Amino acid sequence: MFAKTAFIFFTWLLLAPLSWAGLNIQHWTTPQGARVYFVENHDLPMLDVSVDFSAGSARDTPAKSGLANLTRHVMGLGAGEYTEREIAEKLADVGAVLSGRLDADRAGFILRTLSGKAERDQSVAVLAAILSKPRFDGAILEREKARVIAGIEEEATKPESIGAKAFQAALYGTHPYALEESGEVASVKSLVRDDLAAFHRQYYRARNMVVALMGDLSRTEAEALAGKLAADLPGGDAPPPIPPVNPAAKGIERIISHPATQSHLFMGLPVFTRNDPDYFPLYVGNYILGGGGFDSRLTEAIRQKKGLAYSVYSYFMPMEQAGPFQIGLQTRRDATREAVNTARSELARYLAEGPTEAELTQARNNLIGGFPLRIDSNKKILEYLAVVGFYRLPLDWLDTYSAKVAAVTREDILRAFRARIRPEAMSTVIVGGQVEAQAK
Amino acid sequence: MRPFIPTPKPSMTRLLPLLGIAAALAFPARAETVEETLANGMRVIVKTDRRAPVAVSQVWYRAGSMDETYGTTGVAHVLEHMMFKGTKDVPAGEFSKRIAAAGGRENAFTSRDHTAYFQTLQKDRLELALKLEADRMANLTLAPEEFAKEINVVMEERRMRTEDSAQAKLYEALMASAYQSSAYRHPVIGWMDDLKNMTVDDARHWYAQWYAPNNATLVVAGDVDPAQVMTWARQYFGPIPARPLPVRKPQREPEQQGVKEVTVKAPAKQPVVALAWQAPRLNDPQADWEPYALEILAGVLDGHASARLNQSLVRDKKIATDVGAGYDDISRGPALFIADATPAEGQGVATVEAALKAEIARLVKDGVSEAELNRVKSQVLAGQVFQQDSLFYQAMQIGEWSTAGLDYKARDTRYAKLKAVTADQVRSVAAKYLVDDHLTVAVLDPQPLPEGAQEAPRNAMGAGHVR
C-alpha cells in the first residue's frame, strides 16, 4: 500500500548531497550480471547490505495478487541447508538483523551485521541461501498464507487502510500498480508452492539484482561478497519494464462510510516517474505545498490557522512508472467538509499563483542546508545506494543535487505543477464521516 | 509529524535498543563525553562523534505525564505543542522556520517521564538551536488564541493515535488497569475529557512549575567542540534563574494482590490478549541484577523469529498469528513486563493466553539453555555496535538515563552486568515476577464495523467542489 512506502519516499526525497567531500561510490557488475554499489567506510565494525530485485507487487496479476509479497516472505523461512529455525538462530547467534521489504517496484532484503569475518561469513551465507535456494516448504507456506490473510482482514477494518486501497484502485484501474502488496484474501488462498517457485525463478535472477554495500569492508571483500550472493541465482534475463500507466482523463470520487471519529482524505493522481525531467521543480515545489512540514502551505492553512488536523501533507512518489501525487489529512468527522475544501482551495491557489520568492528561498535553504543530515549514517547511505542502483540514477546524483535544487525557479514550479496536476483528473477518496458533514 | 509522543504501547521489539550500552566502550578514541552543571542547576552533557559534520541538540525536562494530576491529564504534551507557539522575540511558528532555514530538522516528544525537544543541524548551525531553546525555556508567550487552536490539534492527534486504533485503546486500558495509584495509569496524550476541558491557564501553570533550568538537561552529540558548546550553554541558558520545583511525591504502586482483567470492544477483526506483570525498574545499575535478568528473559522469549514465543505459538502450534514480549527498565515509575498475542483464525483468546503462560511455566520448570542465553547476549553485543550508527539515538540514551535519575556513565557497567546474567537468574526472575497475583490481562474483543465499510451515495459530501 502506498501509505507505507510513502515514508520511505519522504526520507528519500529529503535526501540531499554532501556539501563536503562526496561519497565515493564504487560500482561494478558481477560475472553473473548483478549490479553492485559500494561505499567503503571503516568507522564502525559493521556492514549494511541490501539486495533488491524488480520483483515487487507490480509483477503480480489480479488472479495471483499477493504472490510477489508471499514469495519474498517465504524465501526467508527455510533455504538450502537451513530450516526456518536455523535461519533465525544462525543470524541471532552473530547478532545479525535481517529484514525484508517490498513495494510495487522492488522486493528485497536488508542485512545488518558485524563486520568481523566470522560474523559476516555466517550472516552472508544465510542470506545467500535465502536468495538462491528457498525451500518453499508446503506446511510453512500454508501457515504464512493464513497469517497474511489475517493481516489483510485486519487492515480491512482500518479507515486509513480502506482509504489507501480505494485510492490506489481509483488511480490505477487495471494497471498492476492498483494491486495490493499483500494481495486479496481469495488470491492469497489460491497460491501454491509452484507459484512461488516459478516467481522466484523468473524474478530472483542475478541480472535482475541490485546489491548495495555500506561499511567496514575492502573492495576485494566486497567483490567476493557480492559474487557469493549472486553465485547460485537462477539464470536468465531481467524482466521487461513495468508497463506505463495510462492515467484517466477524469478522476473518480468515492466516499466510504466508516464509524471512526476522524475522516481520512486521499486526493491525487498518477504522475511522477523516477526519471521525470521536472523532478526538481516538483520536488522543491512540493516542499512548499505540503512536503515541508511546518514550512508548508497545507500545514499552515489546515493545522496552524484552523486546528483541523494533526497531520496534513502532500507528496510525489517517484516510481518506475507514474507514481502518485497525493494530498492527505485526517480530521474530526464534522470538520470533513471544511478541511477538504481548504485543502482543495490551497491546491487551486498554488496552481494559480505558484510559490512566492520567499517560500522558494526558504525551501532551498532547508533542502540545501540540510545536506549532511541526509547521509549522516550508514543506514541512510545504504538506502541511497539502493535507490541509485535500482533506478539506475547517475552515480553523481547527489553531487549535482544541490545545484539542481538551487536552479529551480518559481516559473519552473508553476509550469511543472500546472502540466501535471490537472484538477479534473484528480481522484478523491474520503473514508469516514460524510453523514454529519452532509447534515450541516 | 511533530510534535509527537511515543506510542503508549511499550514496544515489543525493543530488545536491541533496550540493551543499548555505552559507545565509549568499543570506540574510546572516537567518542568522548564531558559534563558540566551550570550555576543555575542545568546539566549539560556533550558527546563528541565526528563521523559526520552534524550536531544533535536535545533539551530534556524532567516533567512528563507522571507528574500530572487528575483533571489535567495530557497537559505535559499540550505544553510541548505550545512550545512552538512563540515568545516575545520569536513569534509563533518562527522557531520551526528558523531551524528549517538553517537546514535543520526539529521535533519534540513527551513520555510518561519527560518532555524533550530536539534539533539536528549541520555542525556549524548548532548555536542557533541553543539560543532558541534557551529563549523558549524562559519566555514562552502562551497566548490564549494560539492555545484555542492547538488544543484542537491535540484532540485530532488523540483521535488518530488512540480513538480510532483498537490496539492503542487496548493498551490504554491495560495501563489504566495495571497501575492502581501510579500516574502511569493515565495516557501520555491525556483523557479526551481532560483535553476538552483544558485551559491556557493549565498550560501556564505547568510551564511555571517545571520549565526551569534546574529541571532540565541539555544533551549535545556530534562533531562539536565541547568547550565551545559549554560556552554557549553558559551564555544562553546561564542567565535563566533557578526556581524551586514542586515536591515530587513517590506515588509508589502497591503490590498487586490478585489477577486483574479488562476487556475492550473496538472495531477490529482479530482479538488480542495482552498480559502485564508488575516488575522492578532499574534503580542501581551497579547493584541491581534482576532488571538485567528480566531483559535477557524478554530476549529469550521474543528476541528473534525463533525465540520461544514465536517458535511455539506461531510456528509450531499455529495458534497465534503474532506474539511479542517486552520489558523497559529505564523509567522513573514502576515497570511492567508485557507479553501479547493475536490468536489465529478459529483460536480463542483463552487458548493463546494459556499458551503464553505455558511457555513461561516451561521456562520456570526447565530453565534456559546456554545456547539461548548466548544468542541473546550476542544480540546485545551487536546492538551495542549498531546503535552507534545513529547520533540521535546516542544522545537519546544519555537523556533517558539522566532523566530517569540514572548515571548515564553506568551504561558500561550495564553491559558487563547483562553479559554476566546466568540461566538460573533468568529462571528465577521469571518465577518471581511472572505470577498471576501480579498480572493484568487485557483483551481486545473485536467488533464488526457497525454499518460495514460501505459506499455512500455519490454526492453525499463535497462532490463537485473543485470541479
Side-chain angles (χ1 to χ4, degrees):
Chain A
M1 216 169 291
F2 289 130
K4 226 181 301 163
T5 25
F7 178 74
I8 295 168
F9 167 76
F10 279 125
T11 314
W12 168 240
L13 259 200
L14 292 173
L15 203 77
L18 283 168
S19 51
W20 34 295
L23 290 178
N24 177 18
I25 302 175
Q26 304 182 50
H27 167 52
W28 66 92
T29 302
T30 72
Q32 303 85 356
R35 307 197 313 276
V36 188
Y37 299 79
F38 171 47
V39 170
E40 181 172 350
N41 182 296
H42 304 284
D43 283 352
L44 298 172
M46 57 187 275
L47 173 69
D48 287 284
V49 182
S50 74
V51 286
D52 287 299
F53 298 81
S54 178
S57 56
R59 299 297 179 184
D60 283 343
T61 60
K64 293 184 178 176
S65 180
L67 175 58
N69 175 61
L70 197 65
T71 302
R72 194 219 57 73
H73 175 61
V74 179
M75 281 169 69
L77 303 177
E81 61 185 291
Y82 309 110
T83 63
E84 68 168 342
R85 180 168 194 148
E86 283 162 354
I87 286 175
E89 291 182 349
K90 291 280 176 199
L91 292 170
D93 279 339
V94 294
V97 181
L98 180 69
S99 50
R101 66 167 154 209
L102 181 125
D103 59 30
D105 289 345
R106 286 196 289 178
F109 296 86
I110 302 169
L111 174 69
R112 169 164 272 196
T113 181
L114 296 174
S115 55
K117 188 166 186 321
E119 291 91 349
R120 192 180 75 215
D121 284 351
Q122 182 158 326
S123 57
V124 169
V126 171
L127 177 57
I130 287 171
L131 295 178
S132 59
K133 301 188 190 77
R135 292 181 179 183
F136 297 128
D137 174 90
I140 290 174
L141 173 60
E142 288 309 308
R143 183 193 74 206
E144 294 306 313
K145 279 166 62 176
R147 293 182 68 205
V148 169
I149 288 167
I152 295 170
E153 289 176 338
E154 192 63 56
E155 290 306 310
T157 68
K158 297 176 180 172
E160 66 274 20
S161 303
I162 293 168
K165 181 173 179 171
F167 180 66
Q168 210 168 310
L171 261 56
Y172 292 105
T174 57
H175 188 275
Y177 278 178
L179 301 174
E180 283 285 292
E181 289 162 11
S182 301
E184 306 296 332
V185 171
S187 63
V188 172
K189 257 184 197 152
S190 76
L191 297 174
V192 296
R193 187 187 184 282
D194 283 352
D195 294 323
L196 277 67
F199 190 91
H200 175 260
R201 270 197 310 278
Q202 189 174 354
Y203 292 107
Y204 285 81
R205 297 174 173 177
R207 277 183 229 162
N208 192 31
M209 174 160 81
V210 175
V211 181
L213 301 166
M214 169 67 208
D216 183 22
L217 207 63
S218 69
R219 168 67 183 248
T220 312
E221 290 167 331
E223 285 184 16
L225 195 158
K228 184 172 168 66
L229 293 177
D232 298 320
L233 293 182
D237 290 334
I242 292 164
V245 175
N246 288 318
K250 195 157 167 43
I252 298 170
E253 183 149 330
R254 284 191 69 187
I255 294 157
I256 300 168
S257 137
H258 192 284
T261 65
Q262 284 185 320
S263 295
H264 294 244
L265 166 71
F266 305 78
M267 187 163 68
L269 73 175
V271 74
F272 198 43
T273 58
R274 183 55 73 173
N275 58 6
D276 192 315
D278 282 330
Y279 189 98
F280 287 91
L282 293 170
Y283 165 47
V284 176
N286 186 61
Y287 178 94
I288 299 160
L289 174 64
F294 286 78
D295 270 350
S296 78
R297 287 189 177 192
L298 288 173
T299 298
E300 179 63 24
I302 290 168
R303 174 169 166 164
Q304 303 295 79
K305 284 215 177 95
K306 296 186 174 177
L308 290 177
Y310 173 69
S311 164
V312 51
Y313 56 85
S314 67
Y315 67 81
F316 287 89
M317 188 185 300
M319 296 170 67
E320 182 177 326
Q321 300 299 337
F325 163 77
Q326 196 219 320
I327 292 177
L329 60 84
Q330 303 85 36
T331 191
R332 66 180 194 272
R333 298 171 72 96
D334 66 2
T336 308
R337 182 190 295 270
E338 188 184 358
V340 172
N341 288 347
T342 307
R344 282 178 170 157
S345 66
E346 283 300 323
L347 177 64
R349 187 167 71 89
Y350 199 62
L351 290 172
E353 302 166 4
T356 66
E357 202 55 53
E359 286 173 320
L360 180 56
T361 302
Q362 175 80 1
R364 281 196 204 115
N365 286 345
N366 181 263
L367 297 172
I368 296 171
F371 282 170
L373 280 60
R374 276 112 202 191
I375 46 171
D376 65 1
S377 69
N378 293 10
K379 191 175 192 165
K380 292 181 191 173
I381 291 168
L382 180 81
E383 183 54 28
Y384 165 65
L385 293 176
V387 171
V388 164
F390 188 82
Y391 290 103
R392 299 176 188 268
L393 304 179
L395 292 187
D396 67 349
W397 201 82
L398 279 188
D399 303 328
T400 61
Y401 189 98
S402 253
K404 287 179 174 166
V405 169
V408 170
T409 65
R410 291 181 54 226
E411 291 69 31
D412 291 338
I413 293 173
L414 201 50
R415 178 189 49 74
F417 267 72
R418 283 178 178 166
R420 286 171 185 74
I421 313 298
R422 292 159 293 116
E424 72 281 1
M426 288 183 68
S427 288
T428 302
V429 172
I430 297 166
V431 182
Q434 81 288 348
V435 177
E436 289 84 339
Q438 187 183 27
K440 280 213 153 187
Chain B
M1 292 293 285
R2 146 298 278 135
F4 64 91
I5 54 169
T7 164
K9 171 184 170 177
S11 170
M12 292 290 115
T13 50
R14 273 197 62 188
L15 179 72
L16 294 181
L18 265 183
L19 298 177
I21 328 287
L25 192 70
F27 303 95
R30 231 182 335 270
E32 171 203 357
T33 308
V34 296
E35 175 174 359
E36 180 177 321
T37 302
L38 306 183
N40 59 13
M42 183 165 173
R43 286 180 81 187
V44 183
I45 303 168
V46 182
K47 177 169 189 178
T48 47
D49 179 329
R50 308 200 185 283
R51 295 173 60 226
V54 168
V56 174
S57 165
Q58 299 176 348
V59 175
W60 294 72
Y61 293 92
R62 199 165 194 247
S65 65
M66 74 175 288
D67 302 296
E68 296 165 349
T69 52
Y70 277 96
T72 54
T73 63
V75 69
H77 172 246
V78 168
L79 197 277
E80 180 216 304
H81 275 239
M82 292 305 294
M83 282 283 275
F84 296 86
K85 295 300 178 181
T87 66
K88 197 161 71 282
D89 297 331
V90 182
E94 265 296 303
F95 190 108
S96 303
K97 291 266 181 239
R98 292 189 195 178
I99 295 294
R105 297 177 188 173
E106 45 119 36
N107 214 321
F109 50 90
T110 305
S111 82
R112 302 187 299 194
D113 295 352
H114 52 247
T115 311
Y117 301 84
F118 63 85
Q119 300 81 36
T120 307
L121 301 133
Q122 289 190 41
K123 62 176 183 173
D124 54 6
R125 309 306 293 269
L126 174 65
E127 184 183 5
L128 174 70
L130 303 183
K131 195 174 164 179
L132 287 169
E133 281 293 6
D135 176 53
R136 69 180 174 182
M137 179 185 285
N139 302 313
L140 200 63
T141 308
L142 286 165
E145 59 277 14
E146 291 291 345
F147 178 88
K149 287 185 289 184
E150 198 62 21
I151 194 72
N152 284 317
V153 172
V154 174
M155 284 190 264
E156 293 298 345
E157 186 179 352
R158 183 179 158 90
R159 289 184 188 103
M160 191 174 88
R161 290 185 187 283
T162 309
E163 304 292 335
D164 290 345
S165 164
Q167 282 266 351
K169 276 182 156 172
L170 177 71
Y171 270 83
E172 187 172 86
L174 177 67
M175 294 301 148
S177 308
Y179 293 109
Q180 183 166 319
S181 70
S182 166
Y184 273 9
R185 69 200 318 257
H186 303 305
V188 172
I189 201 164
W191 300 108
M192 191 57 114
D193 194 53
D194 285 354
L195 295 178
K196 283 180 178 161
N197 289 290
M198 196 164 290
T199 66
V200 70
D201 284 337
D202 293 323
R204 285 182 174 149
H205 182 61
W206 185 261
Y207 183 67
Q209 271 188 309
W210 300 114
Y211 280 64
N214 44 316
N215 195 38
T217 301
L218 168 67
V219 183
V220 171
D223 187 5
V224 296
D225 169 13
Q228 176 64 69
V229 175
M230 291 302 175
T231 302
W232 283 329
R234 284 189 289 266
Q235 179 185 345
Y236 294 117
F237 293 97
I240 304 171
R243 289 199 306 272
L245 298 171
V247 175
R248 298 179 199 262
K249 305 284 187 176
Q251 294 187 298
R252 285 188 200 93
E253 184 71 15
E255 185 180 338
Q256 190 175 327
Q257 311 284 350
V259 67
K260 294 189 260 190
E261 291 174 17
V262 60
T263 302
V264 174
K265 291 185 174 180
K269 178 65 168 55
Q270 325 284 145
V272 178
V273 58
L275 312 179
W277 291 271
Q278 287 189 326
R281 71 183 194 96
L282 186 63
N283 188 46
D284 182 340
Q286 310 283 348
D288 289 347
W289 66 269
E290 289 184 337
Y292 301 117
L294 286 161
E295 283 191 37
I296 299 286
L297 171 63
V300 169
L301 292 174
D302 188 35
H304 55 92
S306 286
R308 287 191 175 205
L309 296 184
N310 198 58
Q311 186 64 41
S312 169
L313 275 69
V314 176
R315 291 184 164 181
D316 293 342
K317 300 199 180 89
K318 302 181 178 66
I319 56 174
T321 55
D322 281 295
V323 290
Y327 167 67
D328 189 352
D329 56 350
I330 306 300
S331 62
R332 288 170 54 200
L336 296 172
F337 192 102
I338 294 179
D340 66 9
T342 304
E345 182 71 38
Q347 300 293 330
V349 159
T351 310
V352 292
E353 182 185 339
L356 282 172
K357 288 181 175 175
E359 279 306 313
I360 291 159
R362 183 165 74 87
L363 190 148
V364 168
K365 180 168 167 283
D366 301 334
V368 300
S369 71
E370 282 303 312
E372 283 178 292
L373 197 62
N374 290 335
R375 197 164 288 137
V376 175
K377 289 178 182 178
S378 295
Q379 292 184 297
V380 172
L381 172 73
Q384 186 213 8
V385 174
F386 297 158
Q387 73 185 16
Q388 294 174 84
D389 192 36
S390 165
L391 197 59
F392 186 84
Y393 187 71
Q394 295 180 58
M396 177 112 190
Q397 278 205 316
I398 293 174
E400 277 190 336
W401 274 63
S402 303
T403 309
L406 300 168
D407 178 5
Y408 64 89
K409 294 186 285 295
R411 288 174 308 148
D412 295 359
T413 309
R414 184 175 195 226
Y415 176 60
K417 299 275 283 186
L418 282 166
K419 271 186 81 170
V421 169
T422 66
D424 262 358
Q425 288 179 322
V426 175
R427 174 155 73 166
S428 88
V429 290
K432 178 173 174 184
Y433 291 105
L434 306 191
V435 296
D436 279 358
D437 280 356
H438 294 171
L439 170 66
T440 303
V441 182
V443 172
L444 173 64
D445 180 359
Q447 303 297 303
L449 298 180
E451 311 148 28
Q454 323 162 331
E455 204 78 8
R458 275 289 298 251
N459 283 332
M461 142 81 224
H465 265 253
V466 156
R467 330 204 173 137

